[in-house]
Amino acid sequence: MGKVLKMLADGLTRALEIVMVLCMLVMLVMVFGNVMLRLFFNTGIDLSEEVPRFAFVWLTFLGAIVGMRKRAHLGVDLMVQMMPLAGRRVCWGLSQAIMLLCCIYIVYGTWLQHDIIAGNASPVAQLSMVWVYGVSYFTGAAIGIICLSNLVRLVLGRVADDELIDVQEEGMEEAREAEHAMQAQSGPQGGRV
């Protein structure tokens, strides 16, 4: 069952990444096209000012889900690194619980505003704004499920020690590989030149 859920989550993450790429493509094509039209033909497409803005909202919210799933969000781990393993587990559990609570508030707040959002239409496309800001339903639910899953894994003791520090520094893996390669090259001489 766990493998099926992991495959499902991986597939959903991949689908979200594809949608994010499509959002970026829509933003690029529409903004670039509008700039070229304004520059060379002194005209533009009104829709190309609105749709990229909506695509950016979706890109941001979907990116938050993918970032949470891949543990790629920014964080400060100075205090957590100095804690013993039990302290790290407690802090990680608290952070997951707080994020779950925030996700509940996001979904609840969107639900409270649903009628107002649905009643408003975008100025140019006349699209109900629920199609723009309703993505927070999906984001809140998806990140909430990830946090709930993490809390269940923590209680069951299935959280690896390296997961307890959520900070993944960019380029650190490559730096460690380079350091190991340099140590291997220096060999038994101990790095003497």
Side-chain angles (χ1 to χ4, degrees), residues 183-192:
Q183 287 175 350
Q185 283 180 350
S186 66
Q189 300 168 348
R192 283 181 257 166

Side-chain angles (χ1 to χ4, degrees), residues 140-173:
I143 293 177
I145 290 169
I146 293 169
C147 292
L148 187 61
S149 165
N150 287 341
L151 286 171
V152 168
R153 287 185 322 113
L154 181 66
V155 169
L156 296 177
R158 294 185 181 158
V159 175
D161 294 345
D162 66 329
E163 283 185 76
L164 298 176
I165 297 179
D166 278 336
V167 177
Q168 304 294 324
E169 295 185 31
E170 187 175 335
M172 283 305 289
E173 192 61 37

Side-chain angles (χ1 to χ4, degrees), residues 7-192:
M7 283 178 27
L8 183 66
D10 289 343
L12 180 62
T13 303
R14 184 70 181 142
L16 290 177
E17 289 173 340
I18 291 169
V19 172
M20 289 168 53
V21 168
L22 291 175
C23 286
M24 288 175 57
L25 186 65
V26 164
M27 290 167 45
L28 174 74
V29 168
M30 294 193 88
V31 170
F32 180 75
N34 209 31
V35 167
M36 291 297 113
L37 284 173
R38 291 196 189 278
L39 187 64
F40 293 114
F41 301 105
N42 201 24
T43 186
I45 302 170
D46 292 336
L47 195 62
S48 66
E49 291 186 21
E50 198 170 74
V51 172
R53 192 170 45 235
F54 298 161
F56 186 69
V57 170
W58 274 76
L59 176 70
T60 304
F61 276 78
L62 297 180
I65 298 170
V66 172
M68 182 68 182
R69 172 82 166 84
K70 291 185 173 186
R71 297 176 37 219
H73 287 287
L74 296 175
V76 178
D77 62 346
L78 180 68
M79 293 296 293
V80 177
Q81 283 184 346
M82 293 189 286
M83 291 182 173
L85 188 58
R88 290 180 185 181
R89 289 189 185 281
V90 169
C91 285
W92 193 77
L94 282 173
S95 71
Q96 296 297 316
I98 291 169
M99 286 187 285
L100 177 61
L101 184 64
C102 289
C103 288
I104 291 168
Y105 277 122
I106 288 171
V107 172
Y108 179 66
T110 306
W111 179 72
L112 287 176
Q113 294 289 316
H114 181 86
D115 292 337
I116 296 169
I117 295 170
N120 287 334
S122 63
V124 177
Q126 292 299 306
L127 181 71
S128 173
M129 294 305 285
V130 78
W131 289 104
V132 179
Y133 300 116
V135 69
S136 56
Y137 281 127
F138 182 65
T139 301
I143 293 177
I145 290 169
I146 293 169
C147 292
L148 187 61
S149 165
N150 287 341
L151 286 171
V152 168
R153 287 185 322 113
L154 181 66
V155 169
L156 296 177
R158 294 185 181 158
V159 175
D161 294 345
D162 66 329
E163 283 185 76
L164 298 176
I165 297 179
D166 278 336
V167 177
Q168 304 294 324
E169 295 185 31
E170 187 175 335
M172 283 305 289
E173 192 61 37
E174 291 86 5
R176 286 188 189 109
E177 288 174 9
E179 182 180 4
H180 291 305
M182 286 175 36
Q183 287 175 350
Q185 283 180 350
S186 66
Q189 300 168 348
R192 283 181 257 166

